[in-house]
Amino acid sequence: MKSFVPALVIGLVMFAPPGSAQETKPDRRVDESRTAVAQLGRELKVRLQKALQGGGPVEAIGVCRLSAPAIAERLSRESGFTVGRTALKIRNPKNSPDPWEQKTLEAFTRRSRAGESPATLELHEIVTGPDGRRRFRYMKAIPTGEICLVCHGTTIAPDIAAALKTNYPGDRATGFKKGDIRGAFTLKRPLD
């Protein structure tokens, strides 16, 4: 009987349905996504803090406008994902959500309102795009932190508001409170 159990386990592994050996791939992609998101968030936060200390909030606007896309582009090359940020209330039209991102952000908002912490909200899926190609998609909510409120809060100083209007004439990314979902990091990678 003792030798039967290992043989049964080996048999189940050998004759598992096709594709089940790939069950670990999504976990690997999720781990890689989390790593890329953490790196983007960390690098952006460090640059924002330096800009705030060096030149104040108006200088920090330039960091978000110029540095964030450059960091995302570099991480995209290094990770093999397309790495970016998006939101329901966007500041930069280039960060507008696609339909999958829109749906995910709306779900994150509902989940947050139901009591889930924005810091824990994430989603990963394999989706088929309009072109028929399959992609791995990942999103992680960005909670509004204290540092974000200077430019994204409900009360914005006049000099900052003027700089935002100059850099982002169609800005809708204000009115947030600490802990609100500011937006999300978004990653995708083609599978075929």
Side-chain angles (χ1 to χ4, degrees), residues 56-123:
V58 173
E59 188 172 317
I61 292 168
V63 168
C64 275
R65 191 169 68 79
L66 301 172
S67 294
I71 295 168
E73 187 177 311
R74 190 194 82 240
L75 289 174
S76 294
R77 284 191 311 271
E78 292 173 0
S79 69
F81 287 102
T82 300
V83 178
R85 297 173 303 153
T86 189
L88 293 174
K89 292 170 57 174
I90 59 166
R91 176 157 284 166
N92 182 344
K94 293 178 183 177
N95 294 338
S96 296
D98 66 25
W100 185 86
E101 292 166 334
Q102 177 86 22
K103 184 178 90 175
T104 302
L105 286 163
E106 290 167 354
F108 284 173
T109 300
R110 284 191 302 276
R111 291 170 58 190
S112 176
R113 287 183 182 150
E116 287 187 61
S117 168
T120 64
L121 297 174
E122 67 177 347
L123 177 71

Side-chain angles (χ1 to χ4, degrees), residues 10 17 25 28 47 77 91 106 117 147 165 174-175:
I10 291 169
K25 282 189 181 180
R28 178 183 48 79
R47 289 194 191 184
R77 284 191 311 271
R91 176 157 284 166
E106 290 167 354
S117 168
I147 195 172
K165 187 172 185 171
T174 59

Side-chain angles (χ1 to χ4, degrees), residues 104-184:
T104 302
L105 286 163
E106 290 167 354
F108 284 173
T109 300
R110 284 191 302 276
R111 291 170 58 190
S112 176
R113 287 183 182 150
E116 287 187 61
S117 168
T120 64
L121 297 174
E122 67 177 347
L123 177 71
H124 59 90
E125 288 185 308
I126 295 175
V127 299
T128 302
D131 59 359
R133 295 183 65 201
R134 293 176 345 113
R135 290 171 180 82
F136 174 81
R137 303 290 309 258
Y138 175 87
M139 282 183 70
K140 170 89 172 105
I142 302 171
T144 303
E146 202 66 45
I147 195 172
C148 306
L149 295 175
V150 174
C151 296
H152 293 283
T154 55
T155 304
I156 299 174
D159 61 330
I160 298 168
L164 287 171
K165 187 172 185 171
T166 299
N167 287 284
Y168 302 103
D171 181 25
R172 296 183 301 147
T174 59
F176 291 94
K177 297 182 302 291
K178 186 175 179 182
D180 286 348
I181 296 175
R182 167 60 202 97

